[in-house]
Amino acid sequence: MDTTGTFWMPPGNSTIAGDVDSLFYFILYASIIIFVLVVGLSAYFSMKYRRRDGEVGKTDGLDHNVKLEIIWTIIPTILVMIVFVWGFKTYMYMNVVPKDAYEIKVNGQKWFWSFDYPEGGNSVNELIVPVDRPVKLLMASKDVIHSFFVPNFRIKMDVLPNRYSITWFEAHTIGEYNLFCTEFCGKGHSEMIGKVKVVSQEEFEQYAEDLAFSGEGMTLEEFGAKLYIQKACVTCHKIDGSNSTGPPWDNLYGKEEHLADGSSVKVDENYIRESILNPMAKITQGYQPVMPTYQGILKDKQIDALIAYIKSLQEDESLINE
Ligand code: CUA
């Protein structure tokens, strides 16, 4: 069964979606039919046998009906058995990862997702996968419980600290699908949103190579500009002077930054590095302490590149070589 999306469900874009949806609709329609039957008959009988003047005791002595009781026991039992066997088969299919699956490590943390690919690359908030190939997700959290949910694939799995959880899917349509966190994980929970990008096998190889790219043949500054987008810094830090969740990056280097605790600090290489790896250490005045740590996500060279990029956004060059 292939769904294109209905009032009840978004389009199904993975190999499991058809099975999940068929079972869902079976339960839905069986419930609707039984509901209408029960409520309809109740209404009909209460009208038909309502009390009327001069008609006392019409249903007296009616205590049970063996035939009816057998029917209303057997039919629901059969329905429940169908749902059980069908559900169990689907559940087993969803829980047994195919042997040839491509494995991606998923990391959930307050409040974003990051993905590590076997080729050595890493992406943030955007999971890139090949179409028509089973993908295994090995998931863990760095802090609290999160939950990985892609409605179009009909998969949802909790992501726990100190323990791996596993799920898999095979996307059968190229496109971009929403990824949500469905476990309340604190202030930024509703912003813990990502995308799953399903691309062709050839395009995927290109992406994997690109994500694993360590900046050869590029200047540090150019590499930093690329990482600014790829690692999702751009979501919170603008480069046109405007305020966002975090301070803008342009004209940041060399500046005297006022901190939330009343002290101030000069923005230099060490301050930027510390802010990337341990963002809670120094909070800039007027901003919320919501920056996630990039410890373990960014390599040293990538941090150097981001610092070089931030420096390149400084218009007053005298501040750079001070
Ligand atoms: Cu992570 Cu909610």
Side-chain angles (χ1 to χ4, degrees):
M1 185 175 153
D2 202 59
T3 61
T4 47
T6 63
F7 172 76
W8 306 101
M9 292 277 197
N13 303 102
S14 73
T15 50
I16 193 70
D19 288 342
V20 173
D21 291 9
S22 315
L23 182 54
F24 170 80
Y25 288 115
F26 176 79
I27 296 172
L28 178 72
Y29 292 129
S31 305
I32 289 175
I33 292 167
I34 292 168
F35 176 82
V36 168
L37 210 67
V38 168
V39 173
L41 285 176
S42 303
Y44 173 72
F45 286 133
S46 39
M47 279 301 288
K48 185 167 181 198
Y49 298 109
R50 72 185 183 276
R51 208 179 75 166
R52 293 189 183 89
D53 287 341
E55 264 190 11
V56 184
K58 202 173 178 182
T59 55
D60 266 7
L62 200 68
D63 49 18
H64 74 283
N65 184 320
V66 177
K67 209 195 272 176
L68 261 180
E69 281 166 22
I70 289 176
I71 291 173
W72 76 44
T73 304
I74 288 181
I75 293 179
T77 306
I78 292 174
L79 287 176
V80 168
M81 289 310 290
I82 293 175
V83 170
F84 172 75
V85 172
W86 195 347
F88 187 70
K89 273 179 69 178
T90 310
Y91 175 82
M92 288 311 286
Y93 179 72
M94 289 173 100
N95 273 272
V96 180
V97 184
K99 276 206 186 70
D100 57 338
Y102 179 78
E103 187 173 312
I104 297 174
K105 174 81 206 309
V106 176
N107 171 57
Q109 70 189 89
K110 294 187 211 168
W111 287 282
F112 69 109
W113 301 99
S114 65
F115 308 100
D116 287 301
Y117 302 82
E119 289 80 7
N122 163 284
S123 65
V124 171
N125 279 345
E126 189 176 58
L127 172 63
I128 298 157
V129 296
V131 72
D132 294 327
R133 181 161 172 202
V135 174
K136 173 183 174 183
L137 301 177
L138 183 63
M139 310 196 285
S141 165
K142 279 200 175 158
D143 35 54
V144 298
I145 301 176
H146 302 277
S147 189
F148 184 95
F149 180 37
V150 184
N152 291 78
F153 296 169
R154 312 289 191 262
I155 56 158
K156 174 150 77 173
M157 184 57 76
D158 280 0
V159 179
L160 314 164
N162 302 320
R163 195 181 136 182
Y164 291 120
S165 52
I166 290 166
T167 191
W168 77 278
F169 63 86
E170 182 177 333
H172 62 44
T173 339
I174 286 174
E176 255 185 44
Y177 308 104
N178 290 317
L179 157 64
F180 299 105
C181 175
T182 48
E183 183 71 47
F184 182 69
C185 52
K187 191 181 156 288
H189 163 69
S190 59
E191 285 145 45
M192 199 166 162
I193 296 172
K195 285 251 179 274
V196 182
K197 195 169 180 164
V198 179
V199 297
S200 69
Q201 182 63 40
E202 303 79 65
E203 216 181 323
F204 179 74
E205 275 156 26
Q206 192 57 48
Y207 268 109
E209 206 176 288
D210 201 38
L211 289 172
F213 177 63
S214 55
E216 298 100 18
M218 262 189 186
T219 64
L220 267 186
E221 190 182 312
E222 286 163 349
F223 188 37
K226 188 178 160 84
L227 294 168
Y228 169 69
I229 307 289
Q230 198 184 68
K231 305 298 175 195
C233 314
V234 58
T235 331
C236 297
H237 299 279
K238 303 297 164 211
I239 53 169
D240 59 3
S242 64
N243 281 327
S244 181
T245 311
W249 277 8
D250 53 322
N251 298 313
L252 176 67
Y253 188 82
K255 178 182 164 189
E256 201 69 21
E257 193 81 289
H258 298 283
L259 301 180
D261 64 5
S263 63
S264 62
V265 66
K266 190 168 164 310
V267 178
D268 60 8
E269 288 84 349
N270 279 313
Y271 169 74
I272 298 172
R273 187 184 166 86
E274 184 186 39
S275 296
I276 292 172
L277 297 176
N278 183 13
M280 293 305 136
K282 297 188 176 78
I283 305 295
T284 307
Q285 210 171 57
Y287 292 95
Q288 294 294 315
V290 291
M291 159 109 180
T293 171
Y294 275 71
Q295 187 95 49
I297 294 173
L298 293 177
K299 298 186 180 75
D300 276 351
K301 185 178 173 190
Q302 296 177 315
I303 295 173
D304 295 345
L306 285 168
I307 294 172
Y309 178 55
I310 291 174
K311 280 167 134 175
S312 76
L313 297 169
Q314 172 57 263
E315 279 161 29
D316 182 356
E317 295 205 354
S318 68
L319 287 170
I320 293 178
N321 302 314
E322 213 177 76

